[in-house]
Amino acid sequence: MIILNMYGKIEPVIISTKLGVGISNPPNDWVSGLQDDIMEEILIHEHNFKTWVRMGFRHLTFQKYDPTALVKKTNWNLTTSRNKSDLHVIAQNLIGINVLDFENSYLRLKNDTMDSPTCEVSYPQKFIDFCNMIQNAPSARNVLNHKIPFSTYSSDELNSKPRILCFLRAMLKHDFNLENYKKECIASC
């Protein structure tokens, strides 16, 4: 699954019927794995800061990722069960792009030998990269609202580091309205 820089609860939306690509919250079986990825991001962030200090960058200000503060600022704790961890709440509110309707997709109908979109590495990533490339074209500048989301984490790329909390914290720091941003992104796709 490719996690995008959009956050909140949504109903699954097919954004390309021909390709079967859609956006949705992660399935329940992905939530625990995403919690591990978020924890990895927190540990890498803390390790990087310690490394920078050892290298002599002592003037850097360090702000730890605080999942509790992020959940409070988004008010997600009001809509979920109180007995869930903050990482669980964040993982449930991530939005990803994935192949949601492969069986009816043009790709499947025109290619009898393909059993699954997983045969094609990073299929949804290629789609979102293509959309971003179109968005940045000079001819599209006056047509698109420049709200096509981008990837913050890909489960297919083993060497990539998660940037889920990095973007969430930045958006909250600049008082983004996450709900409006999510709606604009969905409309752009």
Side-chain angles (χ1 to χ4, degrees), residues 107-167:
L107 181 66
R108 173 73 171 125
L109 297 175
K110 294 294 181 183
N111 189 350
D112 295 341
T113 60
M114 185 176 266
D115 294 329
S116 164
T118 56
C119 299
E120 183 71 33
V121 178
S122 299
Y123 179 64
Q125 181 70 50
K126 288 179 183 180
F127 177 80
I128 203 73
D129 289 346
F130 177 72
C131 291
N132 277 296
M133 190 171 50
I134 289 173
Q135 172 179 260
N136 293 326
S139 59
R141 288 196 178 125
N142 297 328
V143 179
L144 298 174
N145 67 1
H146 299 286
K147 298 289 186 193
I148 293 177
F150 56 87
S151 170
T152 61
Y153 175 70
S154 171
S155 61
D156 293 335
E157 295 178 24
L158 299 176
N159 292 328
S160 72
K161 304 296 182 222
R163 299 172 298 157
I164 297 166
L165 294 181
C166 175
F167 287 104

Side-chain angles (χ1 to χ4, degrees), residues 63-114:
Q63 293 180 340
K64 285 188 171 188
Y65 288 146
D66 185 357
T68 303
L70 294 174
V71 169
K72 282 182 184 175
K73 190 156 185 176
T74 59
N75 291 324
W76 290 335
N77 57 345
L78 302 176
T79 60
T80 59
S81 173
R82 298 256 185 232
N83 61 356
K84 294 181 180 173
S85 75
D86 294 322
L87 293 181
H88 185 86
V89 172
I90 292 170
Q92 285 183 315
N93 283 281
L94 297 176
I95 297 175
I97 184 169
N98 210 351
V99 178
L100 298 179
D101 188 20
F102 176 67
E103 290 303 317
N104 296 317
S105 70
Y106 188 72
L107 181 66
R108 173 73 171 125
L109 297 175
K110 294 294 181 183
N111 189 350
D112 295 341
T113 60
M114 185 176 266

